[in-house]
Amino acid sequence: MTDTTLASGPAGPKPKPAFSRRNIIIYGSLIVICLYYLVPLYVMIVTSLKGMPEIRLGNIFSPPMEITFQPWVKAWAEACTGLNCDGLSRGFWNSVKILVPSVIVSIIIASVNGYALANWRFKGANIFFTILIFGSFIPYQVMLYPIVIILREIGLYGSLTGLVIVHTIFGMPILTLLFRNYFTSVPEELFKAARIDGAGFWGIYFRIMLPMSLPIFVVAMILQVTGIWNDFLFGVVYTKPDTYPMTVQLNNIVNSVQGVKEYNVNMAATIITGLVPLTVYFISGKLFVRGIAAGAVKG
Amino acid sequence: MAESADSGMAIAVPTNGRSGSERLFLTSLFTGMVIWLGLSLGLSGLFSGMGDAGTWTVRLLPWVALAISALALTRVFSEVGGGLKFFGNRFRAHAIGWLIIAAILLFIAIAGQPLQSVFDLLGKSGKIIVRFCGEHGYFWAACAILIALGLLAIGVRDPSVAAPGRMERTFVQKLTAKVAAIPMALVAIGVFTGGTLWTVVFSFTNSKLLPVTKWVGFDQYIRLWGESRWIISIKNLAIYGVCSLVLSLVIGFILAALLDQKIRFENTFRTILLYPFALSFIVTGLVWQWVLNPDFGVQQVVRSLGWSNFVFDPLYDQNIVIFGILIAGLWQGTGFIMCLMLAGLRGIDEDIWKAARVDGIPMWRTYIFVVLPMMRPVLITTLVIIASGIVRLYDLVVAQTSGGPGIASEVPAKYVYDKMFLGQNLAQGFAASTMMLLSVFIILVPWAYLEFGGGKNKND
């Protein structure tokens, strides 16, 4: 914290001493807490760069004496789950195949829903919306099996398409809420003016709402990308071993009981799985916070 | 008042009691549809206990509802007076649309079976189409025809004299918006309501590998509460829940208060505190499994520093394993709680702080006795979010301990999954998930009452 020692210049109110007791307590505790939060990430990275002999020596906190990328290669291309020994790459591509359509479909449907709810208040719409919001608090376990039946009836059980539908369904409450709240804040005069000019439902949606609400689409995308990538329950219930998403495969690799435990490979695999949401998180920054808070605080 | 935006022709003329029969028409039509949907979701099994006659009665119910609505439609015809006019009818285009839908459905209903091989060429969507053949197709075609006839009946009304009736408001106004909201309606009714009811209902059966309708009353629940694994799950969830609720609120609030001190690098600190929230529970569980590993992790490191008797292996000790999971859970979730709290703190009026300073109240007292009560809405929302997350606790346990050692860290969500998909004991899973639902209701109902019941004090 060397920067705190720099006085902020003559401008502004009375300068406070940089090393007051209060500052030391605040910054000190924050730094200690942050270190605690960072330790697991550090341990993950350090472990994944060590060789197994070095890990057996003991200290998980010590930096690697000899950096090796072998565990990463092995986790990506060779780690075994059951009979398949092609590593996490299979799960990664499955997750991508699930992620892309799920994000697109769920955002399209939810944004249109939110738009219909916010600007075209028709009778009965709020009943559905209330059910949807309440539904988002219902434990998923209650709805797992009925959805299995529905998917089986339409022949999609176990396929990636089925999982896309499931993600669309369970993303709907939060995303609809997000879009509804945003579209409500668009001035109503704009909407009315467009109506008078003869624009219909889709005309207003594509020409006015869509261009005006790009930030909220980005927020929704962040929300969905991290949410769907991190999902485990739906992946394990609605897909088959061949189409398991990455989280499920990771769990199978690390928690498999057979063979010698290769902790470095496990940690490399864990990092690789966490990399996508972490990248999204670090790039998106404030939008991420807005995304998770938007659905939550406004209700 | 929402309608006034788009029905320019609406003139306030009483509808002369017409809407009475229109209402009957619509109510019975929609009732029939909902019953039909419920039956196709598998609720028909509910009545199998009544024998063949009972099953038939139930299957006739939606058709009876349609018949009633058809009767109501004849009354609408007579009330409107103009009769059925196809040409010169205001809603001709709408009626044609519905008739086309009816024709397609009828075609599928009749030709679905013989043309199955053709539809199969369409792949998955072909299969969905074939599902609609037979009775399903006839039913929905009948609905579409009734709607078309209803529109033709009311279309002869002079819009400059009569206010838009119930039917016009339902099937003509804002039609595109309604069509666009169909996915939402289907999910809300079919999955969230229908699915939940289905699970609750089938928890009273004796389903094993497949759902069957052999009713056994509360047997599944009695068995559930007699199983030590379920009891352990509940205990674990209770311990985890209480600790996680209290600790994440306290830690989240303290962190938010620290970040609220107009400090430098606030963004950096927040980024670090929040990043675990971006990680999945699986990743979280696996990392902490490694950090808490007794042979290599914290315990070993402390021992190598000299305290050779140091013991800290929560994941391998039955009595404290749930706290090992709690550590990981808190690491992952407190950043999020902090963000919510921070948003709440930022919403507090700056003048409050000035007033407190003028009165000479120390900062920590202002936080606890002034600011905290003012943050009530945020606190309640946070509480509900944490609580509904706790009930779902599943991935973390699977990744970190797989329920071990033994069954010491089992949780209800895992119990449900294991019974349903591994143990081939569906009804046990249904019963357990119904108990989870019940616990959520206990959290949710008071919240909904506070939020929506006691006056309109929402900040929305």
Side-chain angles (χ1 to χ4, degrees):
Chain A
M1 270 320 96
T2 47
D3 294 49
T4 47
T5 56
L6 297 172
S8 50
K14 183 183 88 179
K16 289 173 188 153
F19 278 114
S20 67
R21 230 181 90 210
R22 178 174 169 274
N23 271 358
I24 292 174
I25 292 174
I26 289 175
Y27 285 101
S29 41
L30 271 178
I31 289 168
V32 170
I33 293 167
C34 282
L35 282 181
Y36 172 77
Y37 274 80
L38 283 173
V39 158
L41 186 64
Y42 168 77
V43 169
M44 252 196 290
I45 295 171
V46 164
T47 309
S48 73
L49 295 176
K50 289 177 189 169
M52 268 318 278
E54 200 185 329
I55 289 176
R56 288 205 195 87
L57 283 179
N59 197 336
I60 57 167
F61 297 110
S62 62
M65 290 179 283
E66 220 176 299
I67 290 180
T68 163
F69 287 98
Q70 194 51 37
W72 286 66
V73 177
K74 192 163 182 200
W76 176 256
E78 291 160 34
C80 291
T81 45
L83 294 173
N84 301 324
C85 277
D86 42 10
L88 264 184
S89 50
R90 173 204 292 269
F92 178 84
W93 291 116
N94 280 341
S95 273
V96 171
K97 272 185 244 163
I98 296 163
L99 184 75
V100 175
S102 301
V103 170
I104 295 172
V105 172
S106 63
I107 288 183
I108 290 175
I109 290 185
S111 66
V112 172
N113 278 344
Y115 164 63
L117 283 171
N119 300 94
W120 295 80
R121 283 161 238 153
F122 52 88
K123 221 177 159 193
N126 276 329
I127 301 172
F128 297 130
F129 184 61
T130 314
I131 296 176
L132 220 57
I133 297 302
F134 266 81
S136 69
F137 290 110
I138 295 177
Y140 297 138
Q141 280 74 19
V142 178
M143 289 171 277
L144 282 184
Y145 205 81
I147 294 181
V148 168
I149 292 178
I150 294 173
L151 289 181
R152 200 184 283 151
E153 290 287 295
I154 57 178
L156 293 176
Y157 182 53
S159 67
L160 290 181
T161 323
L163 192 55
V164 170
I165 293 177
V166 172
H167 280 305
T168 309
I169 288 174
F170 285 105
M172 206 183 266
I174 185 82
L175 291 185
T176 306
L177 181 72
L178 194 73
F179 282 110
R180 189 198 74 135
N181 284 351
Y182 190 84
F183 289 138
T184 314
S185 68
V186 172
E188 218 188 333
E189 286 74 21
L190 259 169
F191 177 77
K192 280 186 181 157
R195 288 285 289 157
I196 290 167
D197 287 345
F201 184 85
W202 298 111
I204 298 177
Y205 177 74
F206 282 112
R207 299 220 190 120
I208 297 176
M209 294 303 176
L210 210 59
M212 278 186 71
S213 50
L214 284 179
I216 206 69
F217 275 88
V218 176
V219 167
M221 231 162 80
I222 295 166
L223 211 63
Q224 283 299 82
V225 169
T226 49
I228 293 170
W229 192 273
N230 288 343
D231 159 69
F232 176 79
L233 183 63
F234 300 140
V236 84
V237 171
Y238 298 109
T239 56
K240 296 176 176 141
D242 267 355
T243 47
Y244 272 160
M246 204 171 185
T247 44
V248 180
Q249 218 197 353
L250 169 73
N251 187 51
N252 289 348
I253 288 176
V254 177
N255 282 330
S256 75
V257 277
Q258 20 173 284
V260 186
K261 286 225 168 198
E262 291 182 285
Y263 297 107
N264 50 358
V265 176
N266 290 350
M267 282 303 113
T270 311
I271 299 179
I272 296 173
T273 310
L275 222 49
V276 170
L278 272 187
T279 316
V280 171
Y281 172 68
F282 284 117
I283 291 176
S284 58
K286 271 199 167 166
L287 275 174
F288 183 88
V289 180
R290 198 171 143 197
I292 59 169
V297 178
K298 280 237 163 189
Chain B
M1 73 286 158
E3 273 104 46
S4 66
D6 96 329
S7 57
M9 56 219 173
I11 295 165
V13 170
T15 45
N16 301 330
R18 270 188 212 118
S19 68
S21 37
E22 282 186 30
R23 174 187 293 178
L24 180 61
F25 170 73
L26 290 174
T27 318
S28 47
L29 184 68
F30 285 135
T31 315
M33 286 180 177
V34 168
I35 297 176
W36 189 271
L37 265 181
L39 292 184
S40 24
L41 267 177
L43 289 183
S44 57
L46 292 186
F47 303 93
S48 62
M50 295 186 221
D52 258 7
T55 323
W56 272 105
T57 325
V58 174
R59 284 185 63 186
L60 275 180
L61 264 180
W63 291 103
V64 171
L66 285 203
I68 293 174
S69 78
L71 279 178
L73 190 59
T74 55
R75 274 197 61 194
V76 177
F77 279 134
S78 62
E79 279 165 359
V80 168
L84 191 65
K85 256 191 235 161
F86 193 73
F87 295 100
N89 191 306
R90 214 152 40 100
F91 296 141
R92 194 178 58 187
H94 285 271
I96 291 175
W98 285 103
L99 286 175
I100 291 174
I101 295 175
I104 295 171
L105 287 166
L106 273 179
F107 171 75
I108 294 170
I110 298 165
Q113 294 289 319
L115 292 183
Q116 180 145 23
S117 50
V118 179
F119 283 122
D120 280 347
L121 296 179
L122 291 172
K124 295 267 161 62
S125 47
K127 277 192 186 128
I128 299 172
I129 290 175
V130 173
R131 284 285 309 166
F132 264 92
C133 68
E135 226 183 339
H136 285 279
Y138 286 122
F139 179 81
W140 295 110
C143 292
I145 291 173
L146 277 177
I147 294 169
L149 288 177
L151 286 172
L152 286 179
I154 60 158
V156 292
R157 255 184 222 154
D158 188 353
S160 61
V161 180
R166 206 166 269 275
M167 206 126 79
E168 184 174 343
R169 291 205 301 264
T170 311
F171 285 115
V172 179
Q173 291 180 358
K174 304 178 179 182
L175 187 66
T176 329
K178 285 169 191 166
V179 172
I182 284 178
M184 180 181 72
L186 281 182
V187 168
I189 301 292
V191 179
F192 286 156
T193 316
T196 307
L197 285 178
W198 191 94
T199 303
V200 173
V201 166
F202 274 80
S203 70
F204 295 103
T205 67
N206 193 19
S207 310
K208 289 285 183 203
L209 181 60
L210 287 170
V212 293
T213 48
K214 195 162 165 280
W215 306 104
V216 294
F218 282 92
D219 276 12
Q220 295 293 352
Y221 292 89
I222 295 167
R223 201 175 304 157
L224 182 69
W225 286 100
E227 272 210 39
S228 61
R229 193 178 150 192
W230 174 253
I231 304 290
I232 291 175
S233 303
I234 290 290
K235 273 186 195 157
N236 279 339
L237 192 69
I239 297 171
Y240 180 89
V242 172
C243 295
S244 154
L245 205 63
V246 173
L247 287 177
S248 49
L249 278 178
V250 171
I251 298 174
F253 186 74
I254 292 175
L255 288 178
L258 280 174
L259 281 191
D260 197 33
Q261 302 305 314
K262 298 195 177 61
I263 53 165
R264 282 156 177 258
F265 311 114
E266 186 195 315
N267 275 335
T268 316
F269 284 125
R270 204 194 45 216
T271 307
I272 293 173
L273 293 176
L274 188 60
Y275 88 90
F277 190 71
L279 294 171
S280 64
F281 277 122
I282 296 292
V283 170
T284 309
L286 295 178
V287 176
W288 281 95
Q289 185 193 56
W290 174 234
V291 174
L292 297 176
N293 186 318
D295 297 330
F296 304 101
V298 176
Q299 173 175 294
Q300 175 61 28
V301 170
V302 176
R303 280 185 186 176
S304 67
L305 289 177
W307 292 276
S308 52
N309 293 326
F310 180 79
V311 177
F312 185 68
D313 58 342
L315 298 189
Y316 292 87
D317 185 335
Q318 296 198 2
N319 299 317
I320 54 169
V321 64
I322 197 68
F323 295 102
I325 292 168
L326 182 69
I327 294 175
L330 286 177
W331 177 76
Q332 204 258 2
T334 37
F336 174 52
I337 307 303
M338 174 204 71
C339 272
L340 294 180
M341 295 280 196
L342 196 58
L345 282 178
R346 294 280 150 86
I348 301 281
D349 198 343
E350 197 69 12
D351 291 345
I352 300 287
W353 285 107
K354 285 178 188 157
R357 212 170 301 146
V358 170
D359 286 347
I361 306 171
M363 175 128 64
W364 63 272
R365 290 196 60 163
T366 319
Y367 265 118
I368 292 173
F369 294 110
V370 181
V371 173
L372 212 51
M374 287 180 73
M375 279 170 56
R376 215 198 71 168
V378 176
L379 285 179
I380 290 173
T381 318
T382 315
L383 212 71
V384 171
I385 291 171
I386 302 175
S388 67
I390 289 170
V391 177
R392 283 182 190 156
L393 175 68
Y394 171 70
D395 330 15
L396 190 60
V397 177
V398 169
Q400 214 176 346
T401 65
S402 315
I407 52 168
S409 61
E410 291 286 343
V411 284
K414 188 162 178 298
Y415 185 91
V416 171
Y417 176 83
D418 290 355
K419 288 287 173 188
M420 272 195 213
F421 297 98
L422 303 176
Q424 298 181 340
N425 196 345
L426 281 177
Q428 264 297 291
F430 296 151
S433 55
T434 306
M435 294 312 299
M436 291 173 67
L437 181 70
L438 206 64
S439 64
V440 169
F441 268 131
I442 292 171
I443 304 165
L444 212 56
V445 170
W447 169 71
Y449 180 76
L450 283 173
E451 191 92 331
F452 307 110
K456 284 280 165 195
N457 53 357
K458 275 182 67 190
N459 53 351
D460 188 15

